[in-house]
Amino acid sequence: MTSRSVSIPSEGESLAGTLYLPRSKAHSKHPVIIMAHGFGALSCFRLPSFAAKFSEAGMAVVLFDYRGYAGSSGSEPRECVQPLEHIKDYESVIAYLRAGSIPEVDSSRISLFGSSYSGAHVIAVASKDPSIEAVISQVPFAESTSPASHSLWTVLNVIFYLILDLVLACTLHLIPAYRVPVVAEKGFAILQPAECYKHFKMFSPSGSLSEYKHGCTTPARSLLYLMKYKPWERSADVAASVLVIAATGDSLIDVKDVKA
């Protein structure tokens, strides 16, 4: 396997990515898988291991960070989780490949991989693009994951944080973007189970989440985008072969919700 950095245009900004290529020269062009991270995460969180395995099996992989994350430009405030922008970023990578920008890639054989939040994004992208060959959706986001479906204490916290960010920051410009934890060892976090904090640290190359400029946080407005996101409404329109993977021990995304 070999790899190199790539820079991909998206909506006037630049996506930082890594291209993985098989060492085998049996084919001049390789089928390609496009991959991105889940809610509030980074592409370096365990996904390179998946990319390496796919590459060993003979496929090229483009792994990238969304606008506003890691080395990608744009999207102020940074690390704002906006699913419709994430979907557009996937589509921008597809367009980049179809333009022949990476000569080692067979742009007629594009597949998508997503995990958690991006596991829903890949369904949404494929529902609009019948030429996508295959989709892997690993422990995908389900609507029950939204904080609005949790306890009254959580809902009240969500309302309070949204007021701070949408009114005081976005509308009145009295304060900077109000940020909330994506995961936390204790107290409020968007991804509620304590195991999420443990897994984020486990997947972080540093083991301490030091890869984040603002800590593992996001502007509170991400909560609103999360509650409004309904990626499965057009799932019946997906023409590609689809593999959906659910985890029986996952306390964040219940198997029964994925099956539904």
Side-chain angles (χ1 to χ4, degrees), residues 80-254:
C80 190
V81 184
Q82 302 184 63
L84 298 185
E85 286 199 2
H86 295 177
I87 288 168
K88 180 60 185 175
D89 290 342
Y90 263 102
E91 293 171 341
S92 294
V93 178
I94 292 170
Y96 181 78
L97 295 177
R98 287 181 176 155
S101 302
I102 299 179
E104 301 97 330
V105 162
D106 183 349
S107 61
S108 69
R109 303 186 63 193
I110 295 176
S111 299
L112 308 175
F113 176 99
S115 186
S116 188
Y117 213 36
S118 62
H121 298 344
V122 293
I123 296 295
V125 173
S127 72
K128 299 186 289 180
D129 189 339
S131 65
I132 297 298
E133 279 210 329
V135 173
I136 300 174
S137 176
Q138 178 176 262
V139 290
F141 164 82
E143 288 178 32
S144 63
T145 312
S146 168
S149 66
H150 294 167
S151 68
L152 176 61
W153 178 86
T154 299
V155 172
L156 291 175
N157 273 277
V158 167
I159 293 170
F160 176 67
Y161 296 139
L162 283 174
I163 290 171
L164 287 175
D165 195 38
L166 294 176
V167 178
L168 297 185
C170 293
T171 305
L172 300 178
H173 307 291
L174 296 176
I175 61 173
Y178 189 84
R179 306 183 71 90
V180 296
V182 173
V183 293
E185 193 168 12
K186 52 182 70 171
F188 177 83
I190 295 179
L191 304 182
Q192 286 285 309
E195 72 179 48
C196 292
Y197 176 77
K198 179 183 72 175
H199 289 155
F200 263 59
K201 288 189 69 176
M202 185 190 309
F203 297 156
S204 157
S206 68
S208 63
L209 304 178
S210 63
E211 293 82 3
Y212 290 98
K213 181 179 179 181
H214 301 286
C216 190
T217 65
T218 185
R221 67 200 74 170
S222 298
L223 287 157
L224 183 61
Y225 302 136
L226 172 62
M227 291 184 287
K228 292 171 63 178
Y229 188 36
K230 301 185 184 299
W232 296 93
E233 289 183 341
R234 293 184 55 187
S235 59
D237 296 334
V238 176
S241 299
V242 179
L243 172 64
V244 177
I245 303 168
T248 54
D250 192 333
S251 60
L252 178 66
I253 301 168
D254 198 295

